[in-house]
Amino acid sequence: NFPLNIDVLVVAALAPILGVVAFWFLQLFCIEIQKRMLSRLRHRHEVFCRFTNYIGILFQAISQALGYTVTRSGIASFQVSVTYEKVEPKKEKEGVFEWISRSFLLFGPFFIPAGLVLLVSYFVIGRGFVFPAPGHFTFIESLTGFWSSLFTFGKEYLSFLLNIDLLNPLHVGFVFVLLFFGLGIRPSYIGQERKEKIDILYDLIHIKDHLVEKPLYILVIVLCLYLFYVLSLFLNNVVYVGLFTIFGWMSLTAIIAILLTFPVLLLIRATDEIRPHWKIIPFLTVVVSYALIRVFFIYFPTKQVERVSLLVMLLSTVLITIFLIKYKRTNRFKTATKMKHMRVADGKKRTSKK
């Protein structure tokens, strides 16, 4: 039983939507930071950056193909390269079907791969998937329930990552899935000449143009969502907030995956300051330090072995990298060309390259 006032009938319906939008913007912000980090690596790690761009274009192509599948347009061709993707439907459909397919292309890369990773997370982590159960369905209560559910999910996710066992193949595989997903949520550019740069403004402008193009479709979607909300009030008040909670989990999964790539990108950037023959040492330190500390704990058991081992691995990698940067730093001003003095017509010395 709850009072049917304006808060319950109208305002509360907006609470989980605002929560999803907030986390989606945070996801966009994290993607933008990651792209700036990748742009600083591109001149030295072109292959790695092209690989991340390929992943992003692949996710975009999969989303577009799924849109054609949902609208029953079929898929005539599916091509993906490092610089572009081409997905063509068997049947060219117009109107609402074309608009839905376009929606999958624009929104899909942010949620579809994240949904797949979220599904894997359910079997690997298995905790934190708690749906809010609002009692009076007010705006504040719905918003609080949404944030509480995402906080519980994020807390369990973080606890898993802090206690991850890198000797467990399942855990190692899951980390690689997160890194693979985190590195390629969105491509950095489209086109061989990289004229079409993909950034936060690119995504927002195209999404805005897509939404204002068909205002009638947006009105129908809003009415359907509101009808779904009203029905959930009387049938099951968890369903409506729970639906948007899943989208919130997807965005949070994407954010965690992106943040997980930051230490990797920073380590790659740091090794650029080290002489070529020593660059491999920080990466070897990651493996060797973890293996040695786990062997040590076999003979000297302690509590929270996984967490302590992870901490030792990170500290060892950071210290070794700092040491190498300090004592084995690349001399960027060193040149292989020798210089010699020569006299010119005015009798003065000039320096020229040999």
Side-chain angles (χ1 to χ4, degrees), residues 172-349:
V172 175
F174 182 66
V175 169
F176 277 104
V177 168
L178 281 177
L179 290 174
F180 182 84
F181 167 57
L183 286 170
I185 293 181
R186 295 294 288 141
S188 299
Y189 58 87
I190 294 178
Q192 187 68 34
E193 299 180 359
R194 304 181 183 181
K195 292 182 179 179
E196 196 168 6
K197 182 182 178 182
I198 310 297
D199 56 14
I200 187 171
L201 291 178
Y202 175 94
D203 288 322
L204 291 177
I205 290 173
H206 280 72
I207 289 173
K208 185 266 295 181
D209 293 341
H210 176 67
L211 295 179
V212 300
E213 180 185 9
K214 301 291 183 180
L216 181 60
Y217 296 165
I218 303 301
L219 179 61
V220 172
I221 291 174
V222 171
L223 291 176
C224 290
L225 281 175
Y226 182 71
L227 179 61
F228 175 62
Y229 168 73
V230 173
L231 290 175
S232 68
L233 280 177
F234 298 98
L235 298 179
N236 189 341
N237 58 1
V238 179
V239 176
Y240 180 80
V241 180
L243 173 65
F244 288 98
T245 298
I246 294 176
F247 281 98
W249 289 342
M250 292 180 187
S251 287
L252 187 55
T253 299
I255 292 169
I256 293 173
I258 295 170
L259 293 178
L260 197 62
T261 65
F262 286 2
V264 177
L265 298 178
L266 289 174
L267 181 60
I268 295 174
R269 178 69 180 86
T271 56
D272 288 340
E273 304 294 329
I274 303 173
R275 296 176 190 175
H277 296 297
W278 297 86
K279 286 180 181 290
I280 193 64
I281 300 300
F283 298 100
L284 291 178
T285 303
V286 174
V287 179
V288 174
S289 62
Y290 189 84
L292 290 178
I293 195 63
R294 289 302 297 267
V295 171
F296 174 83
F297 284 136
I298 292 176
Y299 296 98
F300 302 94
T302 186
K303 296 180 179 179
Q304 298 181 336
V305 172
E306 292 82 6
R307 178 175 295 190
V308 175
S309 300
L310 196 63
L311 181 61
V312 170
M313 180 192 73
L314 293 175
L315 289 177
S316 301
T317 305
V318 170
L319 292 176
I320 291 295
T321 304
I322 293 175
F323 177 84
L324 291 174
I325 291 175
K326 185 175 181 179
Y327 295 101
K328 300 295 180 179
R329 190 180 185 89
T330 301
N331 186 1
R332 295 185 176 181
F333 298 100
K334 185 178 180 180
T335 175
T337 59
K338 296 182 179 180
M339 310 297 288
K340 71 175 184 178
H341 294 290
M342 62 178 292
R343 293 185 181 275
V344 291
D346 58 2
K348 296 180 179 179
K349 280 188 175 181

Side-chain angles (χ1 to χ4, degrees), residues 35-44 269 272:
K35 287 181 179 179
R36 292 182 181 275
M37 296 174 70
L38 285 170
S39 66
R40 296 189 176 187
L41 298 176
R42 183 160 288 116
H43 66 291
R44 289 175 176 265
R269 178 69 180 86
D272 288 340

